[in-house]
Amino acid sequence: GPVMSLLGRFWRLLYSLSVGLYLLLSLAFSVKQAAKHGWRYLPLLPVVFAVLHISWGLGFLTGLWPDEGDSGR
C-alpha cells in the first residue's frame, strides 16, 4: 500500500480509494451490527473488524510458506 503510493499518482489514488472504501464499509457494517445488537458496541466494531481482517490475512500469508522442518505433508 504505502510503497505503491510512492510509485505514482495512479497508485496513490488507488490505494487511497481502497482504504477509504474499507473504512466506509467497516463503518456501515458497524452501524448495522450496532443497531441489531446494541449501540454500545459501535465504537469497538470497526477496530474488531480491522483486527479480524489483519489476523486472517496474516494467517493466510503465513500458511503460504511451509515451515523449515515441514516435509510437505
Side-chain angles (χ1 to χ4, degrees), residues 32-66:
K32 180 180 178 182
Q33 290 303 310
K36 187 175 183 181
H37 298 286
W39 291 104
R40 66 182 181 272
Y41 299 114
L42 183 60
L44 293 175
L45 285 171
V47 175
V48 170
F49 290 153
V51 168
L52 285 172
H53 286 121
I54 290 169
S55 61
W56 289 340
L58 288 174
F60 172 78
L61 292 173
T62 302
L64 293 177
W65 288 279

Side-chain angles (χ1 to χ4, degrees), residues 1-5 10-21:
V3 174
M4 288 176 52
S5 70
F10 170 77
W11 296 110
R12 189 170 34 252
L13 178 63
L14 185 63
Y15 178 70
S16 297
L17 287 174
S18 299
V19 171
L21 181 60

